[in-house]
Amino acid sequence: GAVVSQHPSRVICKSGTSVKIECRSLDFQATTMFWYRQFPKQSLMLMATSNEGSKATYEQGVEKDKFLINHASLTLSTLTVTSAHPEDSSFYICSARSPEGEKLFFGSGTQLSVL
Amino acid sequence: RKEVEQDPGPFNVPEGATVAFNCTYSNSASQSFFWYRQDCRKEPKLLMSVYSSGNEDGRFTAQLNRASQYISLLIRDSKLSDSATYLCVVPPAWGGKLIFGQGTELSVKP
């Protein structure tokens, strides 16, 4: 089945630094990828939809200048958390739709801890 | 009504028990539904897809009730390894973003 690779799996950083998370579709082309954030004991919350070759679509309440999304190719989307603060500590997961369009395949997630 | 709403958990059941979760959805035009399983600090993994009235895979049965707009997940002969959070996912009919339920936590005890 379709595979989505996400790196890094865990990041610990100081407050004020920027962190880049990569999401790759390994065996299919993904024109659309999704970025989610998940706090402990809560469900996945969609942050933004990443569209290849165009600007990302952000959900209400998500700061586009803080969470920079780049989808420069059909197999790679990146999420950069700029000037990270402790409240940004969370589990970030990317996903891509299957080629037939319905199912979602997820990256393995990135646990971000901002000190 | 929330777009997707699941039974609040947690469900604590003994090994071997049968347990069922419900998920209600608001968009009557939705055509397909999915149950995902998520272990703590891991990515969700697709468990079952439901396109018509239901689907069965071993100990797991998913049923769809379009009239009442809910899907259910039944787990028979629960195993310790079934302990996880189960997410209900409903794609909108027009192919937009997937909507996740808040998840139902299951804990199977020896």
Side-chain angles (χ1 to χ4, degrees):
Chain A
V3 178
V4 174
S5 174
Q6 184 175 344
H7 295 280
S9 59
R10 186 172 180 85
V11 179
I12 301 173
C13 68
K14 292 182 179 179
S15 185
T17 59
S18 293
V19 175
K20 180 185 282 189
I21 303 170
E22 291 189 350
C23 181
R24 294 180 184 272
S25 56
L26 296 184
D27 54 1
F28 66 102
Q29 294 182 332
T31 55
T32 302
M33 290 187 177
F34 303 92
W35 287 96
Y36 294 83
R37 181 167 53 182
Q38 186 176 35
F39 293 105
K41 298 291 187 181
Q42 296 186 22
S43 187
L44 294 166
M45 296 301 296
L46 181 65
M47 298 175 66
T49 302
S50 171
N51 304 298
E52 188 269 334
S54 64
K55 291 183 180 179
T57 304
Y58 289 82
E59 294 300 302
Q60 191 174 9
V62 178
E63 300 174 59
K64 62 180 181 180
D65 294 330
K66 180 167 184 62
F67 299 99
L68 300 179
I69 291 174
N70 184 283
H71 196 154
S73 77
L74 287 170
T75 58
L76 174 64
S77 175
T78 61
L79 167 68
T80 300
V81 183
T82 61
S83 187
H85 290 284
E87 58 266 29
D88 298 323
S89 298
S90 186
F91 191 55
Y92 293 86
I93 309 178
C94 70
S95 70
R97 283 191 187 276
S98 60
E100 66 268 22
E102 283 193 324
K103 298 175 186 175
L104 270 190
F105 294 98
F106 289 88
S108 53
T110 298
Q111 181 63 50
L112 172 63
S113 300
V114 185
L115 306 178
Chain B
R1 188 182 201 180
K2 287 186 180 179
E3 290 181 273
V4 179
E5 192 158 10
Q6 294 186 233
D7 280 342
F11 282 64
N12 297 302
V13 303
E15 241 183 319
T18 295
V19 62
F21 316 132
N22 281 330
C23 170
T24 58
Y25 60 94
S26 61
N27 186 351
S28 60
S30 296
Q31 296 296 313
S32 55
F33 309 85
F34 304 97
W35 282 102
Y36 280 78
R37 171 205 167 117
Q38 185 179 25
D39 294 290
C40 187
R41 288 288 181 252
K42 300 286 186 183
E43 75 276 21
K45 293 187 185 297
L46 182 64
L47 181 65
M48 297 192 76
S49 307
V50 186
Y51 298 104
S52 56
S53 60
N55 191 9
E56 185 172 332
D57 182 7
R59 298 183 294 109
F60 298 84
T61 301
Q63 290 191 318
L64 168 63
N65 185 316
R66 288 192 186 276
S68 301
Q69 292 183 210
Y70 75 85
I71 56 173
S72 62
L73 178 66
L74 179 77
I75 304 175
R76 289 180 296 275
D77 189 23
S78 300
K79 310 291 184 189
L80 296 177
S81 57
D82 294 334
S83 297
T85 296
Y86 292 83
L87 301 169
C88 170
V89 178
V90 182
W94 44 268
K97 61 185 182 183
L98 296 186
I99 306 298
F100 284 84
Q102 74 273 29
T104 300
E105 185 180 346
L106 170 66
S107 180
V108 181
K109 306 291 187 184

